[in-house]
Amino acid sequence: MRSPSAPVDPGFDVVVLGAGLNSLNLTIAFHAQYGMRCTTVVRTPVAMNERTVTTDLVTLGADASDEDLRDALIDLAAQRPAGRPALLLTNADSLIELIDRFRADLEPHYLLAQVDAQLLSRLADKAEFAEICDELGIDTVPTVIVDFSRAGEPDWNGHEELPWSYPVVGKAANTAEYHHVDFPGKKKVFFLESAEEQQALVRSLREAGFTGRFLFQELIEGDDTAQRSITAYRSSRGRVTLLCAAQVLLGEHTPEALGRPAAMVTGDFPSLTAAAERFLDHVDYVGFANFDVKVDPRTGRECFFEINPRIGRNNYYVTAAGEPVARHVVEDRVHGRDIAQVRVTRPILYTILPLRLVLSYVRDPALREHVRGVARRGLRNPFRYRPEGLWMRAYSVVSGLNFVRKYRAVYPRPTDTGF
């Protein structure tokens, strides 16, 4: 499966499903820890995956069905020597579901490290997530849930007035369900400034045929620096072996990517990692998880927003802080053993943006000075992973300039809400 030119053979293979930075950061982690090349399977090629030294690319074409993806994975497995283990990983919600749907076909050939369909369904729903947090005494954002499958019923709450002043935030409870709905003005997250805007969105969702649950939430003020990210791994034997948290400095602000962190600084956040561990143990989680949190600047409350049942797009911040995420899944699934828990607290600055751009959006002078100091000691950009070639370094420059243009167009200056 791997290129014969790969410098190291660790005795197992890794196949990553999906394209872009989601998969690149994963393949970097395995390359950094084991010196190996993964195999990345995609429908449509992305240049960063084609050019990286960390993986070999298998392209199936834009029209490849889910069944085609399954068959390609099984064909790859047939090329492997008998008895050689292989991990199958992905970092996209829709592909997590695909792997689970074909679990019976794939498990004879691959080691999987993800939750089963029942728990996946619960956790993918932000409303279910909030209910679990409430059981555990973990703070969440005040939320009204509108179930569009009940839109024709007389007691449906879609037309009811929300209990907070505007603006409010709107988002789908389940991103996989929402992925299949299309309507003018569709966004990942909505910032609604009036009851008229909120009701217009309700009408658009109904007309588009959306039948899932949609969340309307009280706006927790604070710019991007009020956000936190937590990455964790819990083994198949029930031990949380990895915990790492970071403060977001600047997120992406285009409609299709709103909320994705683009620059973060790691550090010691014990209350966050303790809550994450408590949650994972409570639901008997298996595999990588990523939590989104926002700290209410008025009260200091740490409000958990959601859990992503995967490692998260920007997981390189963990590897860059000194703990390759690959080690945890390999020790668990390949070697069948747990390692001592690692809580990563070393400060590094992870960014796919130019440092000057990041600093221009950090309004707190003390935080800005802290970020400058961390950047001098440990600034990490996955596109500047040292073994990569000149193309990836050039890409980091071009990508950075494109981001500058995007922020000028869609988020020219920081706001008190992050919108």
Side-chain angles (χ1 to χ4, degrees):
M1 287 162 72
R2 293 181 294 105
S3 164
S5 63
V8 173
D9 180 0
F12 60 89
D13 292 311
V14 177
V15 177
V16 179
L17 193 57
L21 192 59
N22 273 335
S23 56
L24 178 65
N25 275 334
L26 264 177
T27 62
I28 287 174
F30 283 94
H31 191 272
Q33 179 69 6
Y34 300 103
M36 66 182 294
R37 291 171 71 92
C38 300
T39 299
T40 300
V41 179
V42 302
R43 285 187 170 95
T44 305
V46 176
M48 69 175 73
N49 303 120
E50 292 179 304
R51 298 283 189 157
T52 178
V53 301
T54 66
T55 196
D56 299 311
L57 196 64
V58 175
T59 302
L60 303 182
D63 296 329
S65 66
D66 288 353
E67 288 74 19
D68 292 332
L69 286 174
R70 175 202 60 194
D71 294 345
L73 293 171
I74 294 173
D75 289 344
L76 277 173
Q79 301 171 29
R80 200 168 65 241
R84 182 180 175 89
L87 286 163
L88 176 60
L89 302 169
T90 189
N91 203 8
D93 292 339
S94 60
L95 295 175
I96 289 275
E97 292 187 349
L98 181 149
I99 290 173
D100 188 77
R101 182 153 37 97
F102 296 123
R103 185 183 286 263
D105 299 317
L106 297 172
E107 273 193 319
H109 309 285
Y110 291 98
L111 299 168
L112 306 183
Q114 63 179 57
V115 296
D116 60 24
Q118 184 177 1
L119 184 55
L120 182 64
S121 177
R122 286 186 72 198
L123 298 182
D125 191 303
K126 296 177 180 64
E128 292 268 2
F129 171 77
E131 290 168 7
I132 297 169
C133 286
D134 188 56
E135 288 178 37
L136 298 173
I138 297 172
D139 283 333
T140 57
V141 185
T143 300
V144 168
I145 303 168
V146 177
D147 185 350
F148 279 80
S149 69
R150 301 182 59 243
E153 299 179 15
D155 61 344
W156 185 58
N157 67 341
H159 302 307
E160 293 179 5
E161 192 172 318
L162 297 176
W164 320 291
S165 59
Y166 285 84
V168 299
V169 175
K171 64 179 75 169
N174 187 308
T175 54
E177 288 179 343
Y178 186 61
H179 176 74
H180 301 292
V181 177
D182 194 28
F183 58 91
K186 179 181 177 181
K187 298 178 183 179
K188 181 182 176 184
V189 180
F190 291 86
F191 180 70
L192 304 164
E193 301 201 60
S194 66
E196 290 75 22
E197 282 189 22
Q198 188 260 348
Q199 282 299 300
L201 175 58
V202 169
R203 286 193 298 273
S204 294
L205 288 163
R206 287 194 70 179
E207 291 166 4
F210 180 65
T211 57
R213 297 199 290 178
F214 206 83
L215 311 183
F216 294 101
Q217 297 179 322
E218 182 182 17
L219 177 67
I220 303 297
E221 292 207 356
D223 62 17
D224 292 359
T225 63
Q227 298 173 29
R228 306 289 185 267
S229 176
I230 310 166
T231 298
Y233 186 84
R234 189 173 187 269
S235 77
S236 55
R237 283 163 300 282
R239 181 182 179 87
V240 176
T241 64
L242 173 67
L243 290 161
C244 181
Q247 178 175 7
V248 177
L249 301 172
L250 185 57
E252 295 190 43
H253 281 265
T254 55
E256 69 279 3
L258 186 64
R260 287 180 187 166
M264 295 183 280
V265 61
T266 57
D268 191 9
F269 301 91
S271 58
L272 292 178
T273 52
E277 182 174 16
R278 193 160 74 250
F279 184 99
L280 296 174
D281 284 338
H282 178 76
V283 300
D284 197 19
Y285 192 91
V286 174
F288 287 110
N290 177 249
F291 293 85
D292 293 333
V293 183
K294 190 167 187 180
V295 178
D296 189 333
R298 300 164 299 184
T299 63
R301 284 197 317 137
E302 296 168 337
C303 298
F304 278 60
F305 274 70
E306 63 181 333
I307 180 175
N308 300 299
R310 49 189 170 81
I311 193 170
R313 181 172 184 261
N314 296 289
N315 63 84
Y316 184 60
Y317 77 84
V318 187
T319 298
E323 184 57 29
V325 295
R327 189 167 76 97
H328 294 263
V329 66
V330 168
E331 290 297 320
D332 174 28
R333 301 301 290 122
V334 177
H335 300 310
R337 60 193 180 213
D338 288 342
I339 55 179
Q341 185 180 94
V342 179
R343 290 180 181 246
V344 183
T345 59
R346 176 191 169 203
I348 62 100
L349 172 61
Y350 164 91
T351 181
I352 57 174
L353 309 173
L355 176 59
R356 183 175 296 180
L357 177 68
V358 175
L359 291 173
S360 70
Y361 281 83
V362 178
R363 296 186 290 179
D364 178 14
L367 178 58
R368 189 164 57 246
E369 192 56 35
H370 172 65
V371 172
R372 281 200 182 98
V374 172
R376 284 193 291 270
R377 300 186 300 273
L379 191 155
R380 300 290 184 269
N381 183 326
F383 303 132
R384 291 183 173 271
Y385 174 55
R386 185 166 294 177
E388 297 284 16
L390 291 176
W391 185 93
M392 199 69 83
R393 283 171 172 71
Y395 178 85
S396 74
V397 175
V398 173
S399 174
L401 292 174
N402 285 336
F403 270 119
V404 170
R405 286 191 285 270
K406 286 179 183 178
Y407 281 95
R408 284 176 178 167
V410 301
Y411 189 58
R413 62 186 61 83
T415 67
D416 290 337
T417 62
F419 288 91

